[in-house]
């Protein structure tokens, strides 16, 4: 009887230990994805061919933001929606698009992420995936749709300096001919950048670390 009781107590402690360990691991997992990481799904064609619809990604919250990195942003025009875009212009920079080239502070920007898209055609618009219309910050600001995302002081800054407003980032999709990005919805505030994409884990055969 004593031996049986001891075995039951031992089994009970084992089950309790497993439950506690599981609860701790679940707590860590929850906190990790609540404050450090973000698990996101690509929706739509705006980042083709770099990222395809349905792919699953892990991004890091509060990471330093560099030009060329892919980020998850809160959509200014759709409350609750998230967009995946690439950082092209940094706060305070002068950005100019001319003849399908981007110039940052007067220097042509190398865009290796567009190499594959330049060879692909968007049949809906009969243009290259990488086709980019001519623009400056000042020319974009003339659009009422574009201007609605800025304060009066930001619009004054844009019109006087022709630069990206401070504290915001100019983002674009790699599929330029269909992407709804900073050309249409304005630059993105730092607080509205959810995270920087660091990993594609699905589908497994396209696993990649960035």
């Amino acid at each position: 009887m004593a031996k049986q009781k001891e075995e039951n107590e031992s089994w009970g402690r084992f089950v309790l230990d497993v439950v506690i360990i599981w609860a701790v691991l679940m707590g860590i997992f929850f906190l990790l994805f609540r404050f450090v990481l973000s698990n996101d799904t690509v929706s739509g064609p705006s980042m083709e061919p770099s990222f395809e619809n349905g792919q699953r990604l892990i991004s890091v919250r509060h990471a330093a933001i560099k030009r060329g990195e892919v980020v998850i942003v809160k959509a200014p025009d759709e409350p609750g929606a998230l967009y995946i875009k690439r950082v092209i212009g940094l706060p305070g920079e002068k950005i100019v698009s001319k003849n399908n080239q981007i110039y940052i502070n007067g220097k042509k920007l190398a865009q290796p992420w567009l190499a594959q898209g330049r060879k692909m055609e968007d049949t809906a618009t009969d243009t290259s995936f990488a086709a980019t219309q001519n623009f400056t910050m000042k020319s974009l600001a003339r659009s009422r749709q574009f201007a609605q995302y800025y304060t009066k002081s930001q619009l004054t800054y844009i019109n006087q300096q022709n630069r990206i407003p401070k504290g915001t980032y100019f983002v674009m999709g790699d599929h330029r001919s269909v992407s709804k990005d900073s050309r249409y919805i304005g630059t993105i505030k730092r607080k509205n950048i959810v995270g920087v994409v660091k990993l594609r884990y699905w589908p497994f055969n396209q696993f990649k670390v960035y």
Side-chain angles (χ1 to χ4, degrees):
M1 291 290 294
K3 184 177 180 181
Q4 181 66 42
K5 182 178 180 181
E6 184 177 338
E7 288 179 352
N8 289 340
E9 290 178 349
S10 178
W11 176 251
R13 286 195 298 271
F14 171 76
V15 172
L16 181 61
D17 287 344
V18 169
V19 170
I20 292 173
I21 291 172
W22 178 254
V24 170
L25 289 176
M26 289 301 294
I28 292 173
F29 183 84
F30 172 79
L31 291 174
L32 189 64
F33 278 91
R34 178 68 178 83
F35 298 105
V36 181
L37 304 176
S38 178
N39 184 18
D40 304 290
T41 303
V42 178
S43 178
S46 72
M47 281 296 290
E48 292 175 343
S50 304
F51 295 90
E52 303 285 346
N53 186 60
Q55 292 180 339
R56 301 297 300 248
L57 314 170
I58 297 294
S59 60
V60 176
R61 302 179 188 272
H62 313 299
I65 299 173
K66 301 175 183 177
R67 193 189 327 280
E69 289 186 314
V70 176
V71 292
I72 305 299
V73 305
K74 295 179 182 178
D77 59 331
E78 291 187 45
L82 298 175
Y83 292 160
I84 176 173
K85 304 296 175 186
R86 192 181 297 277
V87 176
I88 301 298
L90 305 178
E93 291 184 333
K94 181 176 288 186
I95 180 170
V96 174
S97 175
K98 186 176 181 180
N99 298 328
N100 287 326
Q101 298 292 339
I102 299 290
Y103 297 86
I104 302 294
N105 295 334
K107 296 182 179 180
K108 187 166 71 172
L109 175 66
Q111 300 183 84
W113 47 81
L114 294 183
Q116 187 177 354
R118 289 193 175 103
K119 302 174 184 177
M120 302 173 71
E121 184 175 322
D122 177 9
T123 54
T125 59
D126 195 29
T127 58
S128 163
F129 272 35
T132 308
Q133 80 269 36
N134 297 340
F135 67 81
T136 65
M137 283 300 300
K138 196 171 181 178
S139 70
L140 291 175
R142 297 193 188 107
S143 163
R144 179 176 299 178
Q145 176 187 354
F146 185 88
Q148 69 178 309
Y149 301 107
Y150 294 96
T151 63
K152 289 183 179 179
S153 61
Q154 286 177 321
L155 286 174
T156 298
Y157 177 83
I158 291 172
N159 284 308
Q160 290 180 349
Q161 304 296 326
N162 198 23
R163 293 176 180 272
I164 298 168
K166 298 174 182 178
T168 71
Y169 295 78
F170 198 101
V171 300
M172 299 177 75
D174 289 354
H175 190 164
R176 297 281 171 80
S177 57
V178 302
S179 176
K180 182 166 60 173
D181 48 42
S182 286
R183 294 170 293 174
Y184 309 103
I185 57 173
T187 54
I188 306 298
K189 296 178 181 178
R190 177 62 183 88
K191 68 178 183 179
N192 289 331
I193 296 179
V194 175
V196 178
V197 173
K198 297 297 183 181
L199 176 71
R200 176 171 58 205
Y201 67 90
W202 181 263
F204 292 136
N205 63 349
Q206 295 180 30
F207 182 92
K208 186 175 181 180
V209 177
Y210 298 93

